[in-house]
């Protein structure tokens, strides 16, 4: 009977090269995690544009034997899946799609734990507070490096393996540099005292905090490795260390030796290591003929690669996926020569330098400068300020009061929805597809249906799906993904209080799809240069980056408890930031209006950007 149970469907990409079927790295990573967790909670389909029926047979050496794997052509995918980049998981209802590497991997872990809650080794993959790779790649430099930067750079290297010894991929060098940094672990005092005790027993010299001696023997980090492996065991709490001597206990925390990197995120084996292992393995395998020239620059990466192989289950999982792990010799460091990772700026370092510039002073000089040049915030009149939904006649599940909101907040939420729905109904036409970006629990999308709701937070999307099911709505699709993983066609994009650069990402997605948009921005103070665009967005040539960031910071000064004059300045700053956004869209042939929600008291962030392609 168990075989007849309905499981979520996992779609993985394959491609053809020189007549042979191959797995992209994202697919290899997903298969490796399935093998490591021994998860049998999914039906697995390999997706390709090929009509050949031997796809699975030709790749059988790379597919764990316990998985039942089938092949499906790209054109035969369900519409919700076809509108996303792979890998994807379609749930049992066929209406909730999870897309993107990090989202899919975290879902595999959660399903494995639902089936067997005793799997401490699987739970540990989610890291501290279960946040490993949870932040989306658009805002997290670390997620972007692991989910996109390293896999894409390795695949590019494999396609163009020339100048291997002189041109190491920058993301690889960035990871090598990251592995050299001191480890930050929550509540690490106990482990650091054990390390101090071990150093004293071995007669080693205690290093100052924040320094690392690369000339120490490789076994120097054995205590860290043992602690990491203990965390993965089923009885991790057993065998805890005895109380340290008074001499060790009296040492101040600031004088304790630092912990060394054992795994990618520090001390413990996490999902990040699962993502990186297939990528780094393929890279190291490809440079074996140039090992001396290349590997001398990557001693920490090689040490990490060796440590990962000591994790129980890794060798088994690799073998099941047709991965024959290497046993490279870790080269000694060359302190007399600058290593490659120090001779080039890392991706993380470059971005942090750009984003941590000091913003000093108030907005008045910038406001005056722009006004003297004829640039001021312009707000179009609201076309239907008194329009409202018939809330008293709508089902309770649609009304925000059905949630855990206070009456006052629910009233304001209804007013916000009135504004967005009024604008969307003016733009939309029968048969149009509407996408509710950053949908949260679906307040906007459920009112609007027929829609697709896109949200990165799983908890919010599941709540939205529950509300839609309660209402019996059949014309709503749900996608848990970062914006970049949604590629489907649509006609109108909507976003209520899209936080920081999320507003710009939604606008960019709409412009790319030539779709109309209704967006209410929020959290202006979180705006910063992103990997896809920089600020100012438009031809705001008279406004420097630092001046624009000051406008963004003060645009958040609109709370009702602030003095009226300060709120007025905040509103002007909001208007100028959104004017810049509207100009950026107009550069792509859009007509954009910046207007204020009615009543203004419905939200301190009461701007709306309404745009349509010319």
């Amino acid at each position: 009977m168990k075989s007849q149970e309905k499981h979520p469907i996992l779609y993985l990409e394959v491609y053809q090269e020189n007549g042979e079927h191959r797995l992209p790295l994202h697919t290899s990573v997903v298969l490796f995690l399935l093998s490591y967790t021994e998860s049998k909670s999914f039906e697995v389909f390999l997706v390709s544009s090929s009509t050949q029926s031997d796809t699975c047979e030709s790749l059988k050496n790379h597919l764990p034997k316990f998985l039942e794997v089938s092949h499906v052509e790209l054109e035969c995918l369900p519409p919700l899946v076809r509108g996303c980049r792979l890998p994807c998981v379609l749930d049992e209802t066929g209406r909730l799609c999870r897309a993107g590497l990090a989202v899919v991997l975290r879902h595999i872990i959660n399903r494995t734990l639902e089936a067997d809650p005793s799997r401490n080794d699987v739970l540990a993959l989610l890291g501290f507070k279960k946040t490993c790779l949870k932040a989306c790649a658009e805002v997290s430099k670390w997620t972007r490096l692991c989910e996109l930067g390293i896999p894409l750079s390795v695949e590019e290297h494999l396609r163009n393996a020339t100048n291997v010894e002189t041109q190491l991929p920058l993301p690889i060098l960035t990871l090598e540099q990251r592995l050299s940094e001191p480890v930050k672990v929550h509540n690490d005092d106990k482990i650091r005292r054990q390390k101090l005790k071990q150093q004293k027993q071995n007669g080693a010299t205690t290093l100052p905090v924040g320094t690392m001696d690369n000339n120490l023997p490789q076994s120097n980090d054995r205590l860290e490795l043992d602690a990491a492996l203990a965390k993965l065991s089923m009885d991790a709490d057993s065998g805890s260390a005895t109380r340290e001597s008074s001499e060790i206990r009296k040492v101040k925390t600031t004088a304790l030796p630092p912990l060394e990197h054992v795994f990618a995120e520090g001390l413990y084996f996490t999902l990040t290591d699962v993502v990186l292992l297939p990528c780094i393995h393929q890279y190291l395998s490809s440079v074996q003929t140039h090992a001396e020239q290349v590997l001398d620059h990557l001693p920490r990466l090689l040490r990490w690669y060796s440590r990962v192989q000591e994790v129980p289950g890794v060798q088994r999982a690799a073998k099941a996926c047709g991965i024959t792990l290497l046993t490279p010799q870790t080269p000694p460091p060359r302190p007399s020569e600058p290593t490659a990772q120090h001779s080039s700026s890392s991706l993380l370092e470059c971005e942090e330098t750009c984003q941590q510039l000091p913003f000093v002073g108030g907005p008045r000089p910038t406001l005056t400068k722009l006004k003297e040049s004829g640039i001021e915030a312009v707000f179009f009149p609201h076309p239907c300020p008194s329009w409202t939904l018939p809330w008293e006649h709508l089902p309770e599940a649609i009304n925000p009061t059905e949630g855990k909101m206070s009456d006052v907040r629910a009233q304001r939420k209804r007013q916000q929805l009135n504004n967005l729905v009024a604008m969307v109904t003016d733009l939309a036409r029968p048969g149009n597809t509407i996408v509710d970006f950053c949908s949260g629990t679906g307040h906007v999308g459920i009112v609007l249906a027929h829609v697709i709701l896109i949200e990165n937070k799983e908890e919010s999307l599941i709540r939205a799906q529950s509300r839609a099911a309660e209402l019996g709505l059949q014309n709503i699709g749900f996608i848990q993904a970062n914006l970049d993983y949604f590629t489907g066609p649509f006609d109108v994009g909507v976003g209520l209080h899209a936080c920081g650069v999320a507003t710009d990402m939604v606008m960019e997605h709409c412009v790319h799809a030539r779709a109309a948009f209704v967006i209410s921005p929020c959290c202006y103070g979180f705006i910063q240069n992103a990997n896809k665009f920089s600020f100012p967005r438009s031809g705001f040539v008279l406004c420097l980056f630092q001046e624009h960031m000051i406008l963004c910071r003060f645009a958040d000064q609109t709370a009702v408890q602030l003095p009226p004059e300060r709120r007025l300045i905040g509103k002007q700053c909001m208007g100028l930031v959104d004017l810049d956004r509207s100009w950026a869209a107009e550069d792509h042939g859009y007509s954009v209006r910046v207007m204020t929600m009615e009543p203004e008291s419905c939200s301190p962030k009461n701007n709306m950007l309404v745009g349509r392609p010319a």
Side-chain angles (χ1 to χ4, degrees), residues 33-41 66 112 119 122 316:
L33 178 64
L34 287 171
S35 180
Y36 178 79
T37 59
E38 299 176 290
S39 176
K40 301 176 183 178
S41 301
F66 67 84
T112 303
R119 290 291 301 273
V122 177
R316 169 189 54 76

Side-chain angles (χ1 to χ4, degrees), residues 202-222:
N202 296 338
T205 304
T206 303
L207 295 172
V209 174
T211 64
M212 302 181 73
D213 186 353
N214 290 317
N215 292 305
L216 287 174
Q218 290 187 27
S219 60
N220 185 58
D221 64 352
R222 188 71 222 183

Side-chain angles (χ1 to χ4, degrees), residues 382-392 394 398-400 410-426 443-444 447-448 494 496 518 520 595-599 602 608 610:
H382 199 298
C384 45
S386 59
W387 189 92
T388 180
L389 285 158
W391 293 105
E392 64 277 9
L394 295 178
I398 290 180
N399 201 314
Q411 172 63 15
R412 291 202 302 264
K413 181 63 71 174
R414 284 195 296 267
Q415 293 168 344
Q416 296 164 22
L417 293 173
N418 287 337
N419 282 272
L420 266 71
V421 173
M423 296 299 102
V424 172
T425 52
D426 178 57
H443 288 299
V444 177
V447 172
L448 286 170
V494 59
L496 175 58
V518 180
S520 168
M595 60 183 69
T596 300
M597 292 183 185
E598 293 289 347
C602 70
M608 280 194 305
V610 181

Side-chain angles (χ1 to χ4, degrees), residues 320-388:
C321 294
I323 300 174
T324 304
L325 296 173
L326 309 172
T327 53
Q329 296 297 316
T330 304
R334 301 183 298 177
S336 59
E337 300 177 25
T339 57
Q341 69 270 15
H342 291 132
S343 61
S344 63
S345 299
S346 73
L347 295 177
L348 302 178
E349 207 173 47
C350 290
E351 293 181 11
E352 287 170 359
T353 302
C354 294
Q355 294 176 7
Q356 294 180 355
L357 296 172
F359 307 115
V360 181
R364 283 190 175 87
T366 303
L367 293 173
T368 302
K369 173 183 173 181
L370 293 174
K371 185 176 181 179
E372 290 174 349
S373 301
I375 300 174
E376 294 185 84
V378 177
F379 297 95
F380 284 79
H382 199 298
C384 45
S386 59
W387 189 92
T388 180

